[in-house]
Amino acid sequence: MVLNACRRNFLSGVRAARWASTLVFLLASSIPINGQVRVWEGVLKLPTYEEGAPDPNPPFDQFSTGRFNYPYTLRNEITNTRAEHEWRAIYLENEYLKCSVLPDIGGHLYTCVDKISGQPMFYANPSIKKARIGYRGAWAAFGVEFNFPVSHNWVSMSPVNYAFAEHSDGSASVTVGNIDRVYGMEWMVELTLRPGSAVLEQRVTLSNRSDVRHRFYWWNNAGVQVWDDSRIQYPQRFAAAHGFAEVQRWPVDAQGKDLSVIRNQTDGPVSLFTHGSREDFMGVWNPHTNTGTAHFAEYLQVPAKKIWSWGVDADGLDWRKALSDNDSAYVELQAGLFRNQETYAFLEPRQGISFTEYWMPVRDTGGISRANLAGVVHLQRNNNVLSVALNANRKILAATIAILNGTTSLLQEKEDLAPDRAWKKELAIPAGAASLTFELRDGSGAVLLRQTEGQYDWVPESQIKLGPQVSYKTPEESLRTADDWLQLGKE
């Protein structure tokens, strides 16, 4: 293994010991491995808008009513001065993906290019154009942002610690992270590519290094470029507003607009949380490029999902100009630990938690009906014909693909699958057929991916209350009890 690290305090304590012992073991074995994933440090040239001098006098927390920034400077002096900038970049590449990470801009994953389609999985904004959106002010829209313990966090546009390494199994990884100066808590994200896989792994570790408990949340915020015909494909029937103030149907709202299609978002921003769904995936499909991006995480680890879009009304179009130089549009696929962004939990002293999220490109399928680590499948009816398309995320030799009507097989094929080609099939739907099922098995007969038309792990509709939700009446601050504060956190 080749290990490169910046800022020695990043690999501290237990993690440093673990990395060091692994390094010693792997340096003793220098036999090259076929299919080794590459990782290296280089530069990425991006036009970047300059900032004025920061405000070195943030208010003390007791004088703040919303965002608590002390001792960080505030970065509110946004300018229109654009300059070419060479950003330090860490590149991670295998047969199918080439990813770039910017450690000097919050550790953002700038993008991953799908080498098969040539399309970026994430919003590769061609310039770093800032607006006063972040916790400290300056913020830019691009790639994947890691938010802990607050949204658009204190170092979202600042240098963070980083390291990169090649591993004995042929994989390679980039690790970014930071210890914040407000609470002294630490986040660390390890991004890994493995040989032969079109999946990017994202291992997240959150820890409280202090002697007192602190509140936190985690939201993974991925920008994905969209066009007017792009479609948000979340497996949900209901969505909740911020603060769980109201629950509405999805995708068609009370005005009859299908909000999953970007061109229909004419009433302002769309900022909604998945409600009543226990599914593991979400995604965006772009007919414009015949590609998409999918996210997968086990529901029990990362249960929350959110969609954000600026919309296509006048304000939304203005934001395209404010955040880019080419009027490009994007949406944010967000995955989190709690049901909304008003809900926090506590990390106890010395407590840490870890979980894994996954990203995968989608191409030539027409949409996303289900995604997991094996692949992405889309099923669509056109009149009396079922169109099925599958992207495998790795090579699967002697795979069996079946289409079932209940227990009756309508199609069964043996295929050698690979990420660089989509498997596609059309078949006539028998008269009176119920919802049809796609099934993928490996050479040993194990089920890898299964999807029945329109069927998902949903909470029964009878348990969903639509419209305004009953909220807890919190007393004024001076009269609140400990239970009041806890209830407020739940909301």
Side-chain angles (χ1 to χ4, degrees), residues 107-185:
H108 274 71
L109 173 59
Y110 177 67
T111 198
C112 282
V113 175
D114 175 14
K115 295 164 68 173
I116 298 170
S117 68
Q119 294 296 318
M121 289 171 59
F122 307 111
Y123 180 41
N125 195 334
S127 61
I128 304 299
K129 194 172 186 180
K130 303 166 188 174
R132 295 184 191 90
I133 293 174
Y135 220 76
R136 293 167 60 193
W139 184 86
F142 65 96
V144 183
E145 176 189 35
F146 309 119
N147 290 291
F148 171 86
V150 294
S151 61
H152 302 314
N153 71 74
W154 299 293
V155 295
S156 182
M157 296 294 291
S158 300
V160 299
N161 304 319
Y162 72 98
F164 54 95
E166 295 176 348
H167 306 292
S168 60
D169 62 359
S171 67
S173 61
V174 180
T175 304
V176 293
N178 178 255
I179 300 169
D180 75 69
R181 298 178 183 177
V182 177
Y183 301 133
M185 296 206 292

Side-chain angles (χ1 to χ4, degrees), residues 280-437:
D280 299 322
F281 75 97
M282 59 183 173
V284 171
W285 176 254
N286 289 318
H288 181 81
T289 58
N290 198 30
T291 63
T293 299
H295 172 276
F296 175 87
E298 293 185 11
Y299 176 80
L300 292 178
Q301 289 193 16
V302 186
K305 301 173 179 63
K306 177 190 174 184
I307 185 66
W308 163 267
S309 170
W310 289 106
V312 297
D313 63 350
D315 285 344
L317 299 181
D318 284 344
W319 275 109
R320 295 185 187 183
K321 295 181 182 295
L323 294 170
S324 75
D325 285 333
N326 61 356
D327 292 350
S328 52
Y330 72 96
V331 296
E332 294 172 4
L333 280 69
Q334 300 187 23
L337 302 180
F338 313 125
R339 69 176 182 176
N340 57 35
Q341 289 166 341
E342 291 74 37
T343 302
Y344 289 74
F346 289 99
L347 282 177
E348 298 298 328
R350 312 299 174 183
Q351 181 187 4
I353 60 174
S354 295
F355 48 90
T356 304
E357 305 178 50
Y358 303 87
W359 298 98
M360 60 204 73
V362 190
R363 67 196 78 83
D364 199 26
T365 60
I368 302 168
S369 297
R370 180 166 295 279
N372 67 12
L373 298 184
V376 182
V377 68
H378 181 58
L379 293 79
Q380 182 172 339
R381 290 194 179 209
N382 296 297
N383 297 322
N384 293 318
V385 174
L386 179 70
S387 298
V388 185
L390 169 71
N391 285 160
N393 285 332
R394 56 180 172 81
K395 291 182 179 179
I396 307 173
L397 301 180
T400 300
I401 299 173
I403 307 296
L404 306 171
N405 179 21
T407 58
T408 303
S409 176
L410 303 181
L411 177 144
Q412 183 167 305
E413 293 186 356
K414 285 277 190 181
E415 289 283 345
D416 290 336
L417 301 173
D420 58 3
R421 59 183 182 274
W423 179 90
K424 302 173 76 172
K425 187 69 66 173
E426 291 187 345
L427 69 159
I429 300 172
S435 296
L436 303 184
T437 299

